[in-house]
Amino acid sequence: MMKKSLFVLLGILVLSSLLLAACGGGSDGDSTTVTRPEVPAEYANLTNPLAGDTNAIQAGENLYDANCASCHGDTGLGDGIAGESLDPKPANLVNTVKETTEGYQHYRILKGGMMDPVNSSMPAQEGLMSDEQIWQIVAYMNTWK
């Protein structure tokens, strides 16, 4: 009788483990596929003229804190308090910086995210920020690499 109970218990544990494994787990919590728009040719090969400039990076941090952190979070992980209610959630900019070019980053800040395939709540900064300010933010974000 004791052997039968042990086998039943073992069977339940094995089935439970299989079910839990099938449900996911083992990821970093961000298993969504990121779809990024094609960068228009005029932005595709842009490089940041302010890259590595410590004054530009400091200015970019100040601009990021004032304009981006509320949604994207203080460290760019997409966990800002204002972004909690957004659908889709704000991008993890640390990943974005690692996976994209400076030209792409500039383009997305300039044009925002209210276009296919992104369709996010990110407002365009075109006409609100100067080109230099956008590059300053890009310079700051690229310190996260």
Side-chain angles (χ1 to χ4, degrees):
M1 184 74 156
M2 182 76 143
K3 275 188 168 181
K4 187 175 183 181
S5 296
L6 187 59
F7 280 116
V8 170
L9 182 59
L10 185 60
I12 290 172
L13 287 173
V14 169
L15 286 174
S16 297
S17 296
L18 289 173
L19 284 172
L20 288 173
C23 290
S27 73
D28 63 3
D30 187 17
S31 61
T32 57
T33 301
V34 176
T35 303
R36 294 189 171 100
E38 282 292 319
V39 179
E42 62 194 282
Y43 300 98
N45 295 317
L46 291 180
T47 57
N48 190 348
L50 304 175
D53 179 320
T54 55
N55 291 330
I57 291 168
Q58 182 60 59
E61 182 176 10
N62 294 338
L63 287 164
Y64 177 89
D65 289 345
N67 297 285
C68 313
S70 62
C71 291
H72 291 284
D74 292 336
T75 58
L77 296 176
D79 59 355
I81 190 86
E84 289 178 3
S85 62
L86 297 176
D87 185 24
K89 297 293 182 205
N92 177 326
L93 298 179
V94 174
N95 289 343
T96 300
V97 166
K98 291 176 183 175
E99 298 168 0
T100 64
T101 65
E102 293 172 326
Y104 174 87
Q105 296 158 30
H106 181 277
Y107 165 72
R108 284 300 310 282
I109 295 169
L110 182 71
K111 299 296 184 180
M114 297 180 187
M115 82 284 266
D116 287 331
V118 180
N119 299 314
S120 75
S121 300
M122 183 175 160
Q125 297 305 305
E126 190 168 32
L128 300 174
M129 285 187 185
S130 69
D131 203 48
E132 179 178 25
Q133 289 173 314
I134 293 172
W135 282 125
Q136 289 170 340
I137 293 172
V138 170
Y140 169 65
M141 290 182 351
N142 276 271
T143 65
W144 299 334
K145 282 185 179 177

